[in-house]
Amino acid sequence: MGDTELELSPARLEELQKSPSASSTSTTSSLSLPSSPSSGPRPLTSSSPSTSEGLPTSSPPLDVISEGVGELSLVIDTEVAKKACQKVLQKVKFLKADGELSSANSEPVLVNGTAHPSEEEAEPVKNVRRRQKNNSSKQSWLLRLFESKLFDISMAISYLYNSKEPGVQAYIGNRLFSFRNEDVDFYLPQLLNMYIHMDEDVGDAIKPYVVHRCRQSINFSLQCAWLLGAYSSDMHISTQRHSRGTKLRKLILSDELKPSSQRIRREMPQPPPSCPPTLHHSQGMSEHSLSPSKRTHQRSKSDATVSISLSSNLKRTASNPKVETSQDEDLSSSSDSLELEAGTPVRLTPQREFIKSLMGIGKRLATLPTKEQKTQRLISELSLLNHKLPARVWLPTAGFDHHVVRVPHTQAVVLNSKDKAPYLIYVEVLECENFETSSVPVRIPETRIRSTRSVENLPDCGITPDQRASSFSTVPNYDNDDEAWSVDDIGELQVELPEIHTNSCDNISQFSVDSITSQESKEPIFIAAGDIRRRLSEQLAHTPTTFKRDPEDPSAVALKEPWQEKVRRIREGTPYGHLPNWRLLSVIVKCGDDLRQELLAYQVLKQLQIIWEQERVPLWIKPYKILVISSDSGMIEPVVNAVSIHQVKKQSQLSLLDYFRQEHGNYNTEEFLTAQRNFVQSCAGYCLICYLLQVKDRHNGNILLDSEGHIIHIDFGFILSSSPRNLGFETSAFKLTSEFVDVMGGLDGDMFNYYRMLMLQGLIAARKHMEKVIQIVEIMHQGSQLPCFHGSSTIRNLKERFHMNLTEEQLQVLVEQMVDGSMRSITTKLYDGFQYLTNGIM
Amino acid sequence: MAQTEKKAGLLRRTSSSKKPLKEKVLLMYEDIFTKEDPTKSNPRFWDELFLMKVNLEHLEGKLEALDGDEVVKIRDNINSLFHHCVQALAEEHQIKVVNALQTLCALFRGVHQKNKSATGFDIINMLMGFDKAELRMKELMESLDSLLCGDGSESLKSLCLKLLLCLVTVTDNISQNTILEYVMINSIFEAILQILSDVSSRARHGYDAVVLLALLVNYRKYESVNPYIVKLSIVDDEPTLDGMGRVIHHALAEYNRQYKEKEEENQGGFFSTLTSMVGSMFIADADEKLSVQTNEAILLALYEAVHLNRNFITVLAQSHPEIDIATAPAVPIPASPTTPLGTTPPSLDMMNNPELPLDPNLQTSNLLITFLKYSSIVMQDTKDEHRLNSARLFLIILTCIAEPMRHRKKAVDKSIPSRPLVCAVLDLMVEFIVTHMMKEFPMDLYVRCVQIIHKLICYQKKCRVRIHYTWRELWSALINLLKFLLSNETSLLSKHNIFQLALQVVNLFNMFITYGDTFLPTPSSYDELYYEIIRMHQVFDNLYCMVLRVSANAGPWKEPASKVTQALVNARAIINHFNPKIESYATVNHISQLSEDQVLEVVRTNYDTLTLKLQDGLDQFERYSEQPREAGFFKELVRSISLNVRKNVSLSTMSQDILLKEFSSIS
């Protein structure tokens, strides 16, 4: 029974990996992860907090632990002491039940509490070994798979979803602790949706992990609460109220899930008693995949969770008031008053209030009739919001820890939407180590802009006052500003526009050398009108094209401005701009829109992006982050440096190709070719996305073009089984207009062939990893009333679009057909016409 | 509590037997207006006096009726009255404080009314006694300061401000009000700021506080160091400046709202043109006229804030909802407002009502926008002296805002979502230019207007700001202005130096012609400039002839006219260069009348053979300074405001009943 025998062939592994449902169902009957405690190995199910066994009435070695309890009662109240006592008793009972463990073995563990890795490790390994002996090879394979390096979060989610075996589910529930937080976070919607809508065993398996993470992070807590709310919303109201999801949500929002480390330290002067048997087990199982250091780390985490899950009344433990207040002091000392007054917990409050304010603004904007009014209102609402900043609030869509310090309210814009009022705000933040513990920045009043940036900042502009003066002295009569502009005025102006000055400070007048020399002799200066006109065109050509302001489309100008430019401009105008950790973020606030489909689309796009990257297919797509706050609100991470094709066409009045030439230069320039390649790679990527996800409502307002030539599809409101108004438009696989083909260089060009080839490669790669994509969608199907899951065949149809049965040659034919079909399809055109008539979108 | 009852009891008796007791006040006044010390006959005289309801008119009348000799005789008693008034301010009985405040007011007014020609020192001597004056005023100012800053009754605060306004406006010329020296020494600036920074007090007293501050700043502003000027110029507390902005904003917005209402009422009537409507409206409506006058004070306050305080400029562009602050729920203020975001301490009133009232009609705006709206209404008719003053003040304020040192804000204004405010300013200037070419030509306003445009363009040139503005309307307005100057040469020349204005206008064109590359939004806008000049070439031709003729003759206009001649060089060069080309284009293509596009085509293809002359100092301008040029204007303005405020400050409006009610509920 050497380990080598258990080596899985890669093919076998892949099989397991791909079809977990099949393998698990086929093995459940004989799987050696039984739920009956009578069998030799320790049952996995005992990790479940809902163990039906009552609390032990007998008190075996109470004398051993009574000492610890006595100590406890000195620092905490009797209630807690009693609970701790019960917990220990329960553990002891488990230990007793295990015939293998001698009391001598368990005693030291209980007394000093420190984990003895060697003993603990030895035990589960034994178990595993023994179990393996009894099991069929299939079971071993499954076990080996779980233990193997290939077992990733995606597979874990898949088994969690497909396995009907509580033991497997519980095992995976424990295994979640061993994955990196970021990896699990990606599947948070799936995890929580399973928690809400699937049977109790799955829920029980997931809960410890979720609770544990909630304790660790405010951000995670809020994400969970929001998602739980959003994904419970499709339940019937009566069941929803008492559902597990709602309960967990309430628990999280009650803010009783405090960081556990401190709590444990306080409640138990000694480290917690040894791990319950299940943990040993799980550790044994994950032994191969975990490094020793990681293992101990995991154990301490598991300790925490198990101690929670074992306490049947989690609430009572966590809400020990003494523990709470003392622990929160450092977190939110300034908000103590608020806590007292409002009587609500304060850990999550600032962020919740912040989000609530943003949503409130959106709701109020929706009542205003015109864009102009909405914009004005938005700006003043945000200026009010500014008075409450900085605060311990952050944008969940950002990739780093920070505190929001200011919303440059005049920069905010209302986005184009008929009856809702989504809006885009820019948010100034200060990056910090940890937004939960780092102190909140001090408010700097708006009026301080001056004092922070005055004459002393002059050298920043790249030229010294002397240089400047000398540049003036060559043209004494021309720009003799020393009289009219005081020194600090010049300073200010320079600070305002440093780049311009550095570029042209020496020739503000833009004079030819001749005219300067002639001027020194006090002769009149003559200049050619043609030069002025030429300089004007040249300068405008050098500056990136800007869009004209359009009151009906206020966002066009804001989005067209290059991001770096905007960052620089806003940084100049803010009192926080001088701080080195200042950053600018942006976010779209959606109120009245359900972003759950968007989130689903994001996950699918992200998964496909990873797949294509892994398979080295140079397809380009841009999944943008989605934050679901409820079933009708949320936030979107805006795509920077991008405007919609509709806006491009309306503003430039050019064909897409001509616009490309205007922006990137003529056909054979490096810039144009790069932009064209970007365009092709992104087109191919999004065509596949549109096909696989059946993305509908593809008009030019929903397709962005970024400054590098990529297209980016936005608005995944109609995907899979849903389509706008069921007009039967858009029957082609994806949108490919002749204008797009023109940019690609026409139907016969190399780039167009490249486009088709990319599509084929992309489809083959996606097909190879189909399960990963399907699983994301399928799990979210559970209990969902979203229109994209309308009907019964959504998942089947999705699977069919991967064409598992076709050869690569057949796939190629399919791609050709789809491209031709889209080219010839008049429905795309017709749909554009329809959009133009109804929404004014070109 | 016992005290209140006692007080209430006393007062009840007062009101139940009204008649004899009312006479008692008058009797007591009689006692003061004798040579005898009233405490001789009644040791508790002063105590009792301040429990009586003040009869302002009577007391004022008495003081006015005194003749020279009598005054000297009863001086001691008046000094004593003043002294006891000041003492009463520190009383716990609020009724006494109220009565003391009102009595003081009557004293200030009455004594000044009587001694209009007297020197300030005589008045001080009469009121307080010269040797005690410094001490008395110190006590008075300290009492007022603590009343204003304390958390006592709002009505008391209001009365304190009224008293101060009364004191400040008691002379026609504020600088001759010598008592104000003591107000300078014992500053109440901080109290004013505190009122402005607090929401509820701002809502109730903001207007008075702002007007008071504006007036105090104008006390001997050119002759001495006025501490209020110094202090105002260095305020950088955001909530305070913001509060000041809000008060001004609210007053202007209220005016705009009233105007809009009137306009809507009158719509469809036989008032066909806007101008005539506005004109008749204001002449007919005394009430409306009044509101224009009071707004002069607010404009003055805005001017002083913009002119003196660099930080105030950020407030200008800060947006506020146009809500009536008075009606905003400002009264119930929790002792420690909740901070929903939980971290930063509440700095502004917003903490109390974090959500604006949900009213779809609610317009949001900022002070600058509201100011521009207000100005555009006021400038529609400048016949009335007050409105002319307002228009002038408006242009002065804009001049200050347009100063490059203030341009911080303008840079922010490039903010993309809404149209840059600078466009609105330019629009307003264009509108003004177009609508005021009348017989009573407001030359002064025109010069300012063109200066403002010039400053804005200088800034844009300097910083390479390209605003998307349709400059064409400005060009056409300027050319029409030149045309107007030409056709009214004789009548205008008798009163004004039209060459100065003409030179400014022509130099604006020179800015566009020679520096257009630095600030015009598109190449085609440069073409359009040429098109406009060529299209209107006759105006430039005629102007050239005119200035040539005038400069040929000796006389006062020789020099200014010849400057215009030189400045016209480029416009003439353009006309002389392109006109033949356009004609030949027409002949070659057999077209009688060229379309705009055709002309633009000719322009575009013939730039290279045109040479322009660079003018000196085009982008130089005189920095705004109040002294000496505007000093006279402000003196007159402040005088007019003083008269108006004096007329409208009414202490008697505050009925005793209201006060009693308030005080009985306090305790």
Side-chain angles (χ1 to χ4, degrees), chain B residues 11 14-15 18 50-55 94-96 98-99 102 159 651-664:
Chain B
L11 290 164
T14 316
S15 52
K18 212 170 183 178
F50 292 114
L51 286 171
M52 308 286 154
K53 184 182 170 187
V54 178
N55 190 328
Q94 307 233 33
I95 285 292
K96 283 191 177 178
V98 170
N99 287 335
Q102 290 183 324
L159 260 184
L651 290 102
S652 43
T653 47
M654 196 162 297
S655 112
Q656 198 88 357
D657 296 342
I658 295 172
L659 286 171
L660 285 180
K661 210 181 242 169
E662 190 182 321
F663 295 152
S664 64

Side-chain angles (χ1 to χ4, degrees), chain A residues 335 338 341 353 368 376 380 387-388 390-391 410 445-446 478 480-481 497 508 525 527 529 533 535 539 557, chain B residues 238 310 336 338-340 342-344 348 360 364 416-417 462-464 466 515 517 527 610 612 614 620 623:
Chain A
S335 356
L338 180 130
E341 273 178 34
E353 288 295 331
L368 298 174
Q376 276 194 359
S380 53
H387 294 307
K388 299 172 201 162
T410 54
E446 297 281 318
Y478 183 74
N480 186 5
D481 278 346
L497 292 155
I508 274 204
I525 311 161
I527 38 173
R533 174 64 160 71
R535 276 200 299 266
Q539 283 183 7
V557 184
Chain B
E238 201 178 350
R310 305 185 76 186
S336 53
T338 50
T339 58
T343 40
T344 32
L348 271 180
T364 52
I416 294 173
K462 182 118 200 150
C463 296
R464 306 289 168 101
R466 296 178 198 277
Y515 296 129
D517 56 328
D527 306 337
L610 171 65
L612 301 166
L614 198 77
Q620 286 173 21
R623 276 188 90 139

Side-chain angles (χ1 to χ4, degrees), chain B residues 252 255-256 292 295 299 370-378:
Chain B
L252 297 181
Y255 176 88
N256 293 349
V292 179
N295 271 310
L299 276 189
T370 307
F371 169 65
L372 292 177
K373 273 189 200 162
Y374 173 79
S375 309
S376 76
I377 296 171
V378 171

